[in-house]
Amino acid sequence: MLKISEFMAVSPIIHVYTIKESDLPAENIWETLKVKQYVEDAEYTSETWVVGMEVRCRHEIKLIERANIVCGVDKYGNEMFEVREIEMRTMSKLPETAPEKLFAPVICRTSIDLRGILAKIDDNFIKSLKK
């Protein structure tokens, strides 16, 4: 979305959902070693799961103002990207230029996965639009 926002009026936003750890009983938290039994890369992502209970999350909308994106390859040879040095600002509401709002008519009429489409836009496509 950061790359797209350079040539289109689309706000690079993410939705962040947080949980207060004090609201979670220890028996409902699966740490990385246990999660690794089910998700192979859990140790690399420091993945933690909450299981066996409903969880109330706090929702925040973050506008990405700047980030350093580093391209690499995972252990299977797949292209991957690492986002570093990210600078974000919390928004009080969804901006009018958020992808969800801009593309709402298309999303409502179809079963399109907007975030999936935005994620698949590659550098060549972006360069062709800039010309």
Side-chain angles (χ1 to χ4, degrees):
M1 282 196 302
L2 272 174
K3 290 181 180 182
I4 294 168
S5 71
E6 291 174 11
F7 65 90
M8 281 179 69
V10 177
S11 295
I13 61 150
I14 60 173
H15 297 269
V16 178
Y17 298 88
T18 55
I19 306 165
K20 281 203 282 184
E21 193 172 342
S22 60
D23 291 344
L24 305 173
E27 64 270 11
N28 293 90
I29 300 173
W30 285 11
E31 298 293 340
T32 302
L33 287 177
K34 191 165 187 175
V35 174
K36 187 178 174 188
Q37 298 172 42
Y38 302 94
V39 180
E40 189 174 332
D41 69 347
E43 69 180 303
Y44 303 109
T45 61
S46 301
E47 198 161 327
T48 302
W49 290 357
V50 176
V51 297
M53 65 180 288
E54 287 188 28
V55 178
R56 294 197 115 185
C57 298
R58 179 174 174 228
H59 173 240
E60 291 182 306
I61 300 165
K62 301 279 189 176
L63 176 68
I64 302 170
E65 296 182 320
R66 191 190 74 74
N68 181 14
I69 302 170
V70 179
C71 182
V73 177
D74 69 12
K75 69 180 187 177
Y76 303 106
N78 300 312
E79 184 178 41
M80 63 175 236
F81 299 91
E82 184 178 330
V83 180
R84 299 177 181 170
E85 302 163 16
I86 189 167
E87 292 178 14
M88 299 182 283
R89 178 168 39 109
T90 302
M91 306 295 290
S92 59
K93 64 181 186 170
L94 201 58
E96 292 303 314
T97 53
E100 296 92 323
K101 287 191 174 187
L102 291 174
F103 300 105
V106 175
I107 295 168
C108 292
R109 288 192 309 257
T110 66
S111 59
I112 269 182
D113 172 17
L114 177 62
R115 298 233 176 242
I117 290 170
L118 292 173
K120 287 183 170 82
I121 292 177
D122 66 6
D123 287 335
N124 292 328
F125 177 75
I126 291 171
K127 285 175 190 170
S128 72
L129 290 174
K130 287 182 178 179
K131 293 179 181 177

PDB file of all heavy atoms in Angstrom, residues 83-95:
ATOM      1  N   VAL A  83       9.331  -5.455   6.769  1.00  0.00           N
ATOM      2  CA  VAL A  83       9.073  -4.038   6.979  1.00  0.00           C
ATOM      3  C   VAL A  83       9.824  -3.608   8.233  1.00  0.00           C
ATOM      4  O   VAL A  83       9.627  -4.168   9.299  1.00  0.00           O
ATOM      5  CB  VAL A  83       7.558  -3.759   7.132  1.00  0.00           C
ATOM      6  CG1 VAL A  83       7.308  -2.282   7.344  1.00  0.00           C
ATOM      7  CG2 VAL A  83       6.808  -4.277   5.919  1.00  0.00           C
ATOM      8  N   ARG A  84      10.696  -2.623   8.048  1.00  0.00           N
ATOM      9  CA  ARG A  84      11.521  -2.129   9.154  1.00  0.00           C
ATOM     10  C   ARG A  84      11.301  -0.629   9.325  1.00  0.00           C
ATOM     11  O   ARG A  84      10.854   0.039   8.405  1.00  0.00           O
ATOM     12  CB  ARG A  84      13.003  -2.358   8.854  1.00  0.00           C
ATOM     13  CG  ARG A  84      13.391  -3.799   8.679  1.00  0.00           C
ATOM     14  CD  ARG A  84      14.852  -3.894   8.313  1.00  0.00           C
ATOM     15  NE  ARG A  84      15.250  -5.281   8.107  1.00  0.00           N
ATOM     16  CZ  ARG A  84      16.413  -5.626   7.593  1.00  0.00           C
ATOM     17  NH1 ARG A  84      17.282  -4.705   7.243  1.00  0.00           N
ATOM     18  NH2 ARG A  84      16.709  -6.896   7.431  1.00  0.00           N
ATOM     19  N   GLU A  85      11.653  -0.147  10.496  1.00  0.00           N
ATOM     20  CA  GLU A  85      11.633   1.297  10.764  1.00  0.00           C
ATOM     21  C   GLU A  85      10.308   1.924  10.349  1.00  0.00           C
ATOM     22  O   GLU A  85      10.265   2.945   9.675  1.00  0.00           O
ATOM     23  CB  GLU A  85      12.797   1.977  10.031  1.00  0.00           C
ATOM     24  CG  GLU A  85      14.150   1.422  10.410  1.00  0.00           C
ATOM     25  CD  GLU A  85      15.228   1.785   9.404  1.00  0.00           C
ATOM     26  OE1 GLU A  85      15.026   2.689   8.580  1.00  0.00           O
ATOM     27  OE2 GLU A  85      16.288   1.139   9.447  1.00  0.00           O
ATOM     28  N   ILE A  86       9.228   1.311  10.776  1.00  0.00           N
ATOM     29  CA  ILE A  86       7.905   1.799  10.386  1.00  0.00           C
ATOM     30  C   ILE A  86       7.487   2.965  11.277  1.00  0.00           C
ATOM     31  O   ILE A  86       7.698   2.940  12.492  1.00  0.00           O
ATOM     32  CB  ILE A  86       6.873   0.650  10.428  1.00  0.00           C
ATOM     33  CG1 ILE A  86       5.548   1.087   9.830  1.00  0.00           C
ATOM     34  CG2 ILE A  86       6.700   0.104  11.824  1.00  0.00           C
ATOM     35  CD1 ILE A  86       4.594  -0.046   9.555  1.00  0.00           C
ATOM     36  N   GLU A  87       6.966   3.997  10.642  1.00  0.00           N
ATOM     37  CA  GLU A  87       6.430   5.149  11.358  1.00  0.00           C
ATOM     38  C   GLU A  87       4.938   5.217  11.066  1.00  0.00           C
ATOM     39  O   GLU A  87       4.532   5.264   9.900  1.00  0.00           O
ATOM     40  CB  GLU A  87       7.121   6.436  10.901  1.00  0.00           C
ATOM     41  CG  GLU A  87       8.572   6.509  11.314  1.00  0.00           C
ATOM     42  CD  GLU A  87       9.263   7.764  10.817  1.00  0.00           C
ATOM     43  OE1 GLU A  87       8.568   8.715  10.379  1.00  0.00           O
ATOM     44  OE2 GLU A  87      10.502   7.800  10.859  1.00  0.00           O
ATOM     45  N   MET A  88       4.137   5.181  12.128  1.00  0.00           N
ATOM     46  CA  MET A  88       2.681   5.179  11.981  1.00  0.00           C
ATOM     47  C   MET A  88       2.069   6.249  12.860  1.00  0.00           C
ATOM     48  O   MET A  88       2.642   6.652  13.861  1.00  0.00           O
ATOM     49  CB  MET A  88       2.106   3.814  12.379  1.00  0.00           C
ATOM     50  CG  MET A  88       2.584   2.670  11.552  1.00  0.00           C
ATOM     51  SD  MET A  88       1.825   1.115  12.040  1.00  0.00           S
ATOM     52  CE  MET A  88       2.736   0.735  13.521  1.00  0.00           C
ATOM     53  N   ARG A  89       0.869   6.627  12.459  1.00  0.00           N
ATOM     54  CA  ARG A  89       0.086   7.585  13.242  1.00  0.00           C
ATOM     55  C   ARG A  89      -1.299   6.981  13.447  1.00  0.00           C
ATOM     56  O   ARG A  89      -1.911   6.480  12.512  1.00  0.00           O
ATOM     57  CB  ARG A  89      -0.009   8.904  12.481  1.00  0.00           C
ATOM     58  CG  ARG A  89      -0.838   9.961  13.166  1.00  0.00           C
ATOM     59  CD  ARG A  89      -0.669  11.337  12.520  1.00  0.00           C
ATOM     60  NE  ARG A  89      -0.571  11.321  11.071  1.00  0.00           N
ATOM     61  CZ  ARG A  89      -1.525  11.770  10.246  1.00  0.00           C
ATOM     62  NH1 ARG A  89      -2.648  12.266  10.716  1.00  0.00           N
ATOM     63  NH2 ARG A  89      -1.352  11.751   8.945  1.00  0.00           N
ATOM     64  N   THR A  90      -1.802   7.035  14.678  1.00  0.00           N
ATOM     65  CA  THR A  90      -3.140   6.521  14.971  1.00  0.00           C
ATOM     66  C   THR A  90      -4.181   7.500  14.457  1.00  0.00           C
ATOM     67  O   THR A  90      -4.088   8.707  14.696  1.00  0.00           O
ATOM     68  CB  THR A  90      -3.321   6.298  16.484  1.00  0.00           C
ATOM     69  OG1 THR A  90      -2.308   5.385  16.929  1.00  0.00           O
ATOM     70  CG2 THR A  90      -4.691   5.732  16.806  1.00  0.00           C
ATOM     71  N   MET A  91      -5.155   6.968  13.746  1.00  0.00           N
ATOM     72  CA  MET A  91      -6.236   7.781  13.186  1.00  0.00           C
ATOM     73  C   MET A  91      -7.484   7.604  14.059  1.00  0.00           C
ATOM     74  O   MET A  91      -7.747   6.508  14.550  1.00  0.00           O
ATOM     75  CB  MET A  91      -6.550   7.330  11.757  1.00  0.00           C
ATOM     76  CG  MET A  91      -5.354   7.309  10.815  1.00  0.00           C
ATOM     77  SD  MET A  91      -4.669   8.925  10.508  1.00  0.00           S
ATOM     78  CE  MET A  91      -5.957   9.651   9.527  1.00  0.00           C
ATOM     79  N   SER A  92      -8.263   8.657  14.200  1.00  0.00           N
ATOM     80  CA  SER A  92      -9.483   8.567  15.009  1.00  0.00           C
ATOM     81  C   SER A  92     -10.612   7.868  14.243  1.00  0.00           C
ATOM     82  O   SER A  92     -11.540   7.341  14.840  1.00  0.00           O
ATOM     83  CB  SER A  92      -9.939   9.952  15.466  1.00  0.00           C
ATOM     84  OG  SER A  92     -10.193  10.775  14.339  1.00  0.00           O
ATOM     85  N   LYS A  93     -10.510   7.883  12.912  1.00  0.00           N
ATOM     86  CA  LYS A  93     -11.499   7.191  12.092  1.00  0.00           C
ATOM     87  C   LYS A  93     -10.851   6.789  10.766  1.00  0.00           C
ATOM     88  O   LYS A  93      -9.760   7.249  10.433  1.00  0.00           O
ATOM     89  CB  LYS A  93     -12.736   8.053  11.856  1.00  0.00           C
ATOM     90  CG  LYS A  93     -12.471   9.318  11.071  1.00  0.00           C
ATOM     91  CD  LYS A  93     -13.737  10.126  10.891  1.00  0.00           C
ATOM     92  CE  LYS A  93     -13.445  11.302   9.964  1.00  0.00           C
ATOM     93  NZ  LYS A  93     -14.620  11.994   9.556  1.00  0.00           N
ATOM     94  N   LEU A  94     -11.535   5.967  10.019  1.00  0.00           N
ATOM     95  CA  LEU A  94     -11.034   5.519   8.732  1.00  0.00           C
ATOM     96  C   LEU A  94     -10.982   6.695   7.765  1.00  0.00           C
ATOM     97  O   LEU A  94     -11.980   7.376   7.561  1.00  0.00           O
ATOM     98  CB  LEU A  94     -11.980   4.431   8.194  1.00  0.00           C
ATOM     99  CG  LEU A  94     -11.462   3.470   7.145  1.00  0.00           C
ATOM    100  CD1 LEU A  94     -10.242   2.715   7.644  1.00  0.00           C
ATOM    101  CD2 LEU A  94     -12.552   2.493   6.746  1.00  0.00           C
ATOM    102  N   PRO A  95      -9.825   6.976   7.161  1.00  0.00           N
ATOM    103  CA  PRO A  95      -9.738   8.102   6.223  1.00  0.00           C
ATOM    104  C   PRO A  95     -10.602   7.865   4.985  1.00  0.00           C
ATOM    105  O   PRO A  95     -10.852   6.719   4.606  1.00  0.00           O
ATOM    106  CB  PRO A  95      -8.263   8.158   5.832  1.00  0.00           C
ATOM    107  CG  PRO A  95      -7.555   7.138   6.626  1.00  0.00           C
ATOM    108  CD  PRO A  95      -8.561   6.292   7.314  1.00  0.00           C
TER     109      PRO A  95
END
